[in-house]
Coordinates of all heavy atoms in Angstrom, one line a residue:
A8 N 7.9 4.0 15.9 CA 6.9 4.9 15.3 C 5.8 4.2 14.6 O 4.9 4.7 14.0 CB 7.7 5.8 14.3
F9 N 5.7 2.8 14.8 CA 4.6 2.1 14.1 C 3.4 2.2 15.0 O 2.9 1.2 15.6 CB 5.1 0.6 13.9 CG 4.2 -0.2 12.9 CD1 3.9 0.4 11.7 CD2 3.7 -1.3 13.3 CE1 3.1 -0.3 10.8 CE2 2.9 -2.1 12.4 CZ 2.6 -1.5 11.2
A10 N 2.9 3.4 15.2 CA 1.8 3.7 16.0 C 0.9 4.8 15.4 O 1.4 5.4 14.5 CB 2.3 4.2 17.4
S11 N -0.3 4.9 15.8 CA -1.1 6.0 15.3 C -0.7 7.3 15.8 O -1.0 8.3 15.1 CB -2.6 5.6 15.6 OG -2.8 5.6 16.9
R12 N -0.1 7.4 17.0 CA 0.4 8.7 17.6 C 1.7 8.4 18.3 O 1.9 7.3 18.9 CB -0.6 9.2 18.5 CG -1.8 9.8 17.8 CD -2.8 10.4 18.9 NE -4.0 10.8 18.2 CZ -4.4 12.0 18.2 NH1 -3.7 13.0 18.7 NH2 -5.5 12.3 17.5
K13 N 2.5 9.4 18.2 CA 3.9 9.2 19.0 C 4.3 10.6 19.3 O 4.3 11.5 18.5 CB 4.9 8.6 18.1 CG 6.2 8.4 18.8 CD 7.1 7.4 18.3 CE 8.3 7.2 19.1 NZ 8.2 6.7 20.4
A14 N 4.7 10.8 20.6 CA 5.3 12.1 21.1 C 6.8 12.0 20.6 O 7.5 11.0 20.9 CB 5.1 12.2 22.6
V15 N 7.2 13.1 20.0 CA 8.5 13.1 19.5 C 9.1 14.5 19.8 O 8.5 15.6 19.7 CB 8.5 13.0 17.9 CG1 9.9 13.2 17.4 CG2 8.0 11.7 17.5
P16 N 10.4 14.5 20.3 CA 11.0 15.9 20.6 C 11.1 16.7 19.3 O 11.4 16.2 18.2 CB 12.4 15.5 21.0 CG 12.3 14.1 21.5 CD 11.3 13.5 20.7
A17 N 10.7 17.9 19.4 CA 10.7 18.9 18.3 C 12.0 18.9 17.4 O 12.0 18.9 16.2 CB 10.4 20.3 18.7
G18 N 13.2 18.7 18.1 CA 14.5 18.6 17.5 C 14.6 17.4 16.5 O 15.5 17.5 15.7
Q19 N 13.8 16.5 16.6 CA 13.9 15.3 15.7 C 12.9 15.4 14.5 O 12.9 14.5 13.7 CB 13.5 14.0 16.5 CG 14.7 13.7 17.5 CD 14.4 12.4 18.2 OE1 14.1 12.5 19.4 NE2 14.4 11.3 17.6
L20 N 12.1 16.4 14.5 CA 11.2 16.6 13.4 C 11.8 17.3 12.2 O 12.6 18.3 12.4 CB 10.0 17.4 13.8 CG 9.1 16.7 14.9 CD1 8.0 17.6 15.4 CD2 8.6 15.4 14.5
R21 N 11.5 17.0 11.0 CA 11.9 17.7 9.8 C 10.7 18.0 9.0 O 9.9 17.1 8.6 CB 12.9 16.8 9.0 CG 14.1 16.2 9.7 CD 15.0 17.4 10.1 NE 16.2 16.9 10.8 CZ 16.4 16.7 12.1 NH1 15.4 17.0 12.9 NH2 17.5 16.2 12.6
R22 N 10.4 19.2 8.6 CA 9.3 19.6 7.7 C 9.5 18.9 6.4 O 10.5 18.9 5.8 CB 9.3 21.1 7.5 CG 8.8 21.8 8.7 CD 8.6 23.4 8.4 NE 8.2 23.9 9.6 CZ 8.9 24.2 10.6 NH1 10.3 24.0 10.6 NH2 8.5 24.8 11.7
L23 N 8.4 18.6 5.8 CA 8.3 18.0 4.5 C 8.3 19.1 3.4 O 7.4 20.1 3.5 CB 7.1 17.0 4.3 CG 7.2 15.8 5.2 CD1 6.1 14.8 4.8 CD2 8.5 15.1 5.1
P24 N 9.0 19.0 2.4 CA 8.9 20.0 1.3 C 7.5 19.8 0.5 O 7.0 18.7 0.6 CB 10.0 19.7 0.3 CG 10.9 18.7 1.0 CD 10.1 18.1 2.1
A25 N 7.0 20.8 -0.1 CA 5.9 20.7 -0.9 C 6.0 19.6 -1.9 O 7.0 19.4 -2.5 CB 5.5 22.1 -1.6
G26 N 4.9 18.8 -2.0 CA 5.0 17.7 -3.0 C 5.5 16.4 -2.5 O 5.4 15.4 -3.1
V27 N 5.9 16.4 -1.3 CA 6.4 15.1 -0.7 C 5.3 14.7 0.3 O 5.0 15.4 1.2 CB 7.8 15.3 0.1 CG1 8.2 14.0 0.8 CG2 8.9 15.7 -0.9
T28 N 4.8 13.4 0.1 CA 3.8 12.9 1.0 C 4.4 12.3 2.2 O 5.6 12.0 2.3 CB 3.0 11.8 0.2 OG1 3.8 10.7 0.1 CG2 2.5 12.3 -1.1
T29 N 3.6 12.1 3.2 CA 4.1 11.5 4.5 C 4.4 10.0 4.2 O 5.4 9.5 4.8 CB 3.1 11.5 5.6 OG1 1.8 11.0 5.2 CG2 2.8 12.9 6.1
R30 N 3.8 9.3 3.3 CA 4.2 8.0 2.8 C 5.6 7.9 2.3 O 6.4 7.1 2.5 CB 3.1 7.5 1.8 CG 3.3 6.0 1.5 CD 2.2 5.6 0.6 NE 2.4 4.1 0.3 CZ 1.5 3.2 0.3 NH1 0.2 3.6 0.6 NH2 1.7 2.1 0.0
Q31 N 5.8 8.9 1.4 CA 7.2 8.9 0.8 C 8.2 9.3 1.8 O 9.3 8.8 1.8 CB 7.2 10.0 -0.4 CG 6.4 9.7 -1.6 CD 6.1 10.9 -2.5 OE1 6.1 12.0 -2.1 NE2 6.1 10.6 -3.7
A32 N 7.9 10.2 2.7 CA 8.8 10.7 3.7 C 9.2 9.6 4.8 O 10.2 9.7 5.4 CB 8.2 11.9 4.5
A33 N 8.3 8.7 4.9 CA 8.6 7.6 5.9 C 9.8 6.8 5.5 O 10.4 6.1 6.3 CB 7.3 6.7 6.0
V34 N 10.2 6.8 4.3 CA 11.4 6.1 3.8 C 12.6 7.0 3.6 O 13.6 6.6 3.1 CB 11.2 5.2 2.5 CG1 10.1 4.1 2.8 CG2 10.7 6.0 1.3
A35 N 12.5 8.3 3.9 CA 13.5 9.2 3.7 C 14.8 8.8 4.4 O 15.9 8.9 3.8 CB 13.1 10.6 4.2
E36 N 14.8 8.4 5.6 CA 15.9 8.0 6.4 C 16.7 6.8 5.9 O 17.8 6.7 5.6 CB 15.6 8.0 7.9 CG 16.9 7.7 8.8 CD 17.2 6.3 9.1 OE1 16.4 5.5 8.8 OE2 18.3 6.1 9.6
P37 N 15.8 5.7 5.6 CA 16.5 4.5 5.0 C 17.0 4.7 3.7 O 18.1 4.2 3.3 CB 15.5 3.4 5.2 CG 14.2 4.1 5.3 CD 14.4 5.4 6.0
L38 N 16.4 5.6 2.9 CA 16.9 5.9 1.5 C 18.1 6.7 1.6 O 19.1 6.4 0.9 CB 15.8 6.8 0.7 CG 16.3 7.2 -0.6 CD1 16.6 6.0 -1.5 CD2 15.1 8.1 -1.3
A39 N 18.2 7.6 2.6 CA 19.5 8.4 2.8 C 20.6 7.4 3.2 O 21.7 7.5 2.7 CB 19.3 9.5 3.8
V40 N 20.3 6.4 4.0 CA 21.3 5.5 4.4 C 21.8 4.7 3.2 O 23.0 4.5 2.9 CB 20.8 4.6 5.5 CG1 21.8 3.3 5.7 CG2 20.6 5.2 6.8
A41 N 20.9 4.2 2.3 CA 21.3 3.4 1.2 C 22.1 4.3 0.2 O 23.1 3.8 -0.4 CB 20.0 2.9 0.5
I42 N 21.6 5.5 -0.1 CA 22.4 6.3 -1.0 C 23.8 6.6 -0.5 O 24.8 6.7 -1.3 CB 21.6 7.6 -1.3 CG1 20.3 7.3 -2.1 CG2 22.4 8.7 -2.0 CD1 19.3 8.4 -2.3
H43 N 23.8 6.9 0.8 CA 25.2 7.1 1.4 C 26.1 5.9 1.3 O 27.3 6.1 0.9 CB 25.0 7.5 2.9 CG 26.3 7.8 3.6 ND1 27.0 8.9 3.4 CD2 26.9 7.1 4.6 CE1 28.1 8.8 4.1 NE2 28.1 7.7 4.8
A44 N 25.5 4.8 1.5 CA 26.4 3.6 1.4 C 26.9 3.3 0.0 O 28.1 3.0 -0.2 CB 25.6 2.3 1.9
V45 N 26.0 3.5 -1.0 CA 26.4 3.3 -2.4 C 27.5 4.4 -2.7 O 28.4 4.1 -3.4 CB 25.2 3.4 -3.3 CG1 25.6 3.5 -4.8 CG2 24.3 2.2 -3.2
G46 N 27.3 5.7 -2.3 CA 28.3 6.7 -2.5 C 29.6 6.4 -2.0 O 30.7 6.6 -2.5
R47 N 29.6 5.8 -0.8 CA 30.9 5.4 -0.1 C 31.5 4.3 -0.8 O 32.8 4.1 -0.7 CB 30.6 5.0 1.3 CG 30.1 6.1 2.2 CD 30.9 6.8 3.2 NE 32.1 6.0 3.5 CZ 32.7 6.0 4.7 NH1 32.2 6.8 5.6 NH2 33.8 5.4 5.0
A48 N 30.8 3.4 -1.5 CA 31.4 2.2 -2.2 C 32.1 2.6 -3.4 O 32.9 1.8 -3.9 CB 30.3 1.2 -2.5
G49 N 31.9 3.8 -3.9 CA 32.5 4.1 -5.2 C 31.8 3.5 -6.4 O 30.6 3.1 -6.3
S50 N 32.3 3.5 -7.6 CA 31.7 3.0 -8.7 C 31.4 1.5 -8.6 O 32.2 0.7 -8.2 CB 32.6 3.2 -10.0 OG 32.0 2.6 -11.1
L51 N 30.1 1.2 -8.9 CA 29.7 -0.2 -8.8 C 29.5 -0.8 -10.3 O 29.1 -2.0 -10.4 CB 28.3 -0.3 -8.1 CG 28.4 0.1 -6.6 CD1 27.0 0.1 -6.0 CD2 29.4 -0.7 -5.8
A52 N 29.8 0.0 -11.3 CA 29.6 -0.5 -12.6 C 30.4 -1.8 -12.9 O 31.7 -1.8 -12.6 CB 30.1 0.6 -13.6
G53 N 29.7 -2.8 -13.3 CA 30.4 -4.1 -13.7 C 30.7 -4.9 -12.5 O 31.3 -5.9 -12.5
K54 N 30.3 -4.5 -11.2 CA 30.7 -5.2 -10.1 C 29.5 -6.0 -9.5 O 28.4 -5.6 -9.7 CB 31.1 -4.2 -9.0 CG 32.5 -3.6 -9.3 CD 32.9 -2.7 -8.2 CE 34.2 -1.9 -8.5 NZ 34.6 -1.0 -7.5
D55 N 29.7 -7.1 -8.8 CA 28.7 -7.9 -8.1 C 28.6 -7.2 -6.8 O 29.5 -6.8 -6.1 CB 29.1 -9.3 -7.9 CG 29.1 -10.1 -9.2 OD1 28.3 -9.7 -10.1 OD2 29.9 -11.0 -9.3

């Protein structure tokens, strides 16, 4: 997607909620991966 235009199947598109910029939304998927991983790890308090 590092292009000025890209054809994408409609099923892969997700509308942005009001107040979320496209710049913020570009990291939505990697942020979800990170949050999911931390959630799966359990409590990280006091851990390396």
Side-chain angles (χ1 to χ4, degrees):
F9 197 51
S11 58
R12 290 179 185 246
K13 179 158 184 67
V15 175
Q19 288 180 251
L20 298 177
R21 307 293 185 266
R22 283 184 183 79
L23 298 187
V27 176
T28 68
T29 55
R30 185 178 183 136
Q31 293 166 329
V34 296
E36 190 267 344
L38 177 60
V40 169
I42 291 170
H43 178 71
V45 168
R47 298 255 339 213
S50 175
L51 299 177
K54 295 181 180 176
D55 292 329

